[in-house]
Structure formats: structure tokens, C-alpha cells
């Protein structure tokens, strides 16, 4: 009996040792890697770029005193050209997919076309050499680093004065117009994306392409006699509509690319 009890005790001891060895040999398993956290679009940004534009304007001539058209023909004049642009803004990401922001920018270049007085057959080149705008935009994130947006706001444009020439002889008509500014409003839209989508490691750098349509108030441009700067009694009525497309590089100060949550 004593031998039998000793044998049972030995078997129990060996079984416990084997179980402990199995527990010690169990391999360590790492926790699953955390998912990347998309960066926020909230923050300040600056941009610069360039583009092209076209404009047209409904025109007619009228007397300075009476204000009635001298001729019954309304015309649409136009022009085109290139420009550079710079600006800055601030965005708020108000939800996982919606972004709201405010911005201001300026355009500098040469959108050149013609104006004319149909009554006395004179015409001249007129140029929109700079403009500025301030407004707001609302965007939807089609991807964490791609924003599709629409915008609108106030805009102001500057137009250069011009000398007027006879459309019959091509000679100087002895008349000119002065520079003027015109305000209005604009609507537009575009797409902005982080440059990392092209395989470039560029934290903070984006590209945006934008279309804009600007509607300006009517201006009665006085025809002035050279030398005296006195009106000849006639104005050229001018109401411009400007369309532009631009592409800009954008730098976002708060953007560092996707980050991974740490535990």
C-alpha cells in the first residue's frame, strides 16, 4: 500500500510540472495595430498660382446730360488673358465630411479686350489688370485628403484707361478714358487635394484648381478730350462679366499627414 501511494504522488507531481511547463511556453501575441487617424482640415493656409480668364461686357453709348442711348444698338465686347494669384484663408472641419472656411485673394495680370463708341466710330483697348475677392466656401471631403467645394463672396476689379482711335482710319481720335474700379460678387467651385496622392512625400502641401465667375456693376465710362480732360458729352456704358480658371499650390500650416494613435 505504501508503494502504491508513493507511485500516485509521483504521477501527480509530474503532471503538475508538465502543466506548468506548458503554461510557460505559451507564445506572446501582440495587440492588433491601431487604425490610422485622418488629420483635420481645421487651420490656416496660404496659396499662390496662376490661370487664364475671359470677359465680356454689354455696352452702349449714351449722352452725359440726358442719359439716353445715342444709338439703339447694344453690343457685347470681350477680351481674355492670363493672371497670377495669391491668397490666404482659414478652414474649420465641422464634421467628418464637411469643411467650412473663409478666404481672401488677389489676381494680377492682363485680361485685355475692347470698348467702342458706336455713334462716332471710335474704339480702344481696355484691360483688367488686377482684382481682389473675399468670401466663404463650403466643401465636402470625397476622401480624407481630397476636398470638393463651392464658394461665393464680394469682388472688386480695376480697369485701365485707354486711348480711343477711329475704327475707320485707325488714327488717334483725340479722346481717352480714365482708370476705374468696379465692385460685384462672385460664385465658383473647385477641388483641393494633398500632393501625397501622387506618390510625393509632401506634408502640408496641396494643389487646388478653381473656376470662378464674377459679376460686376455697370460703369458709365466718360469719353474725355485729350489735353483738357473734359468730357465730350458721351459715356460708354460698360457692364463686365469675368470668368477665370486657376491652379494654385497651397500650404496648410497644421497639416502633418495621417498619424497613428499610440497606446
Amino acid at each position: 500500500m505504501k508503494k502504491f501511494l508513493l507511485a500516485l504522488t509521483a504521477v501527480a507531481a509530474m503532471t503538475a510540472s508538465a502543466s506548468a511547463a506548458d503554461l510557460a511556453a505559451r507564445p506572446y501575441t501582440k495587440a492588433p495595430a491601431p487604425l490610422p487617424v485622418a488629420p483635420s482640415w481645421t487651420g490656416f493656409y496660404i496659396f499662390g498660382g496662376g490661370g487664364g480668364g475671359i470677359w465680356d461686357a454689354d455696352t452702349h453709348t449714351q449722352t452725359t446730360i440726358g442719359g439716353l442711348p445715342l444709338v439703339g444698338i447694344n453690343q457685347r465686347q470681350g477680351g481674355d488673358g492670363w493672371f497670377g494669384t495669391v491668397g490666404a484663408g482659414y478652414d474649420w472641419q465641422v464634421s467628418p465630411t464637411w469643411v467650412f472656411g473663409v478666404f481672401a485673394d488677389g489676381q494680377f495680370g492682363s485680361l485685355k479686350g475692347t470698348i467702342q463708341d458706336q455713334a462716332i466710330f471710335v474704339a480702344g483697348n481696355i484691360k483688367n489688370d488686377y482684382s481682389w475677392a473675399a468670401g466663404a466656401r463650403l466643401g465636402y471631403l470625397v476622401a480624407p485628403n481630397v476636398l470638393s467645394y463651392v464658394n461665393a463672396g464680394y469682388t472688386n476689379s480695376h480697369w485701365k484707361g485707354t486711348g480711343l482711335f477711329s475704327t475707320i482710319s485707325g488714327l488717334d481720335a483725340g479722346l481717352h478714358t480714365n482708370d476705374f474700379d468696379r465692385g460685384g460678387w462672385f460664385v465658383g467651385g473647385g477641388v483641393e487635394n494633398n500632393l501625397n496622392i501622387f506618390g510625393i512625400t509632401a506634408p502640408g502641401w496641396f494643389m487646388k484648381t478653381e473656376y470662378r465667375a464674377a459679376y460686376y456693376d455697370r460703369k458709365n465710362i466718360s469719353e474725355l478730350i485729350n489735353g483738357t480732360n473734359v468730357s465730350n458729352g458721351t459715356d460708354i456704358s460698360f457692364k463686365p462679366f469675368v470668368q477665370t480658371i486657376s491652379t494654385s499650390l497651397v500650404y496648410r500650416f497644421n497639416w502633418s499627414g495621417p498619424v497613428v494613435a499610440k497606446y
Side-chain angles (χ1 to χ4, degrees):
M1 177 62 86
K2 289 182 180 180
K3 290 182 180 179
F4 180 72
L5 291 175
L6 289 173
L8 286 178
T9 303
V11 170
M14 287 188 291
T15 302
S17 299
S19 298
D22 289 341
L23 289 173
R26 186 171 295 168
Y28 171 74
T29 303
K30 294 179 64 176
L35 296 175
V37 178
S40 173
W41 283 70
T42 298
F44 180 74
Y45 64 90
I46 57 175
F47 63 89
I54 59 175
W55 64 264
D56 60 61
D58 293 325
T59 67
H60 63 262
T61 53
Q62 61 186 37
T63 62
T64 302
I65 299 174
L68 298 175
L70 293 173
V71 293
I73 301 174
N74 292 322
Q75 291 191 339
R76 177 163 291 181
Q77 308 296 325
D80 57 24
W82 301 91
F83 62 89
T85 182
V86 293
Y90 193 94
D91 285 331
W92 293 268
Q93 186 167 347
V94 296
S95 79
T97 54
W98 291 98
V99 175
F100 173 78
V102 293
F103 68 93
D105 61 37
Q107 296 179 351
F108 310 89
S110 178
L111 303 182
K112 184 184 293 186
T114 60
I115 56 171
Q116 65 177 326
D117 180 344
Q118 306 96 323
I120 58 175
F121 303 105
V122 296
N125 291 324
I126 189 170
K127 180 172 68 174
N128 173 207
D129 57 346
Y130 65 84
S131 60
W132 62 268
R137 71 175 183 172
L138 179 64
Y140 180 80
L141 290 170
V142 297
N145 59 353
V146 180
L147 179 71
S148 176
Y149 65 89
V150 294
N151 57 17
Y154 176 80
T155 180
N156 191 280
S157 60
H158 181 265
W159 301 79
K160 295 281 289 183
T162 183
L164 299 176
F165 294 81
S166 169
T167 58
I168 298 174
S169 66
L171 299 177
D172 189 342
L175 299 169
H176 69 278
T177 66
N178 286 338
D179 295 13
F180 64 92
D181 295 308
R182 220 67 199 139
W185 58 277
F186 73 89
V187 293
V191 175
E192 182 175 334
N193 58 267
N194 184 238
L195 290 179
N196 284 344
I197 69 171
F198 298 119
I200 304 171
T201 302
W205 287 101
F206 286 68
M207 179 179 71
K208 72 182 179 86
T209 298
E210 178 178 309
Y211 166 82
R212 187 177 295 180
Y215 302 81
Y216 292 106
D217 298 333
R218 185 176 297 277
K219 168 68 175 179
N220 292 330
I221 307 171
S222 296
E223 298 176 14
L224 306 175
I225 300 171
N226 293 348
T228 64
N229 214 39
V230 174
S231 172
N232 70 346
T234 302
D235 291 344
I236 301 173
S237 179
F238 183 78
K239 184 175 175 58
F241 167 57
V242 181
Q243 301 180 79
T244 57
I245 296 179
S246 63
T247 297
S248 301
L249 280 176
V250 182
Y251 183 75
R252 292 184 164 274
F253 290 93
N254 70 314
W255 189 281
S256 59
V259 296
V260 177
K262 296 181 179 179
Y263 298 93

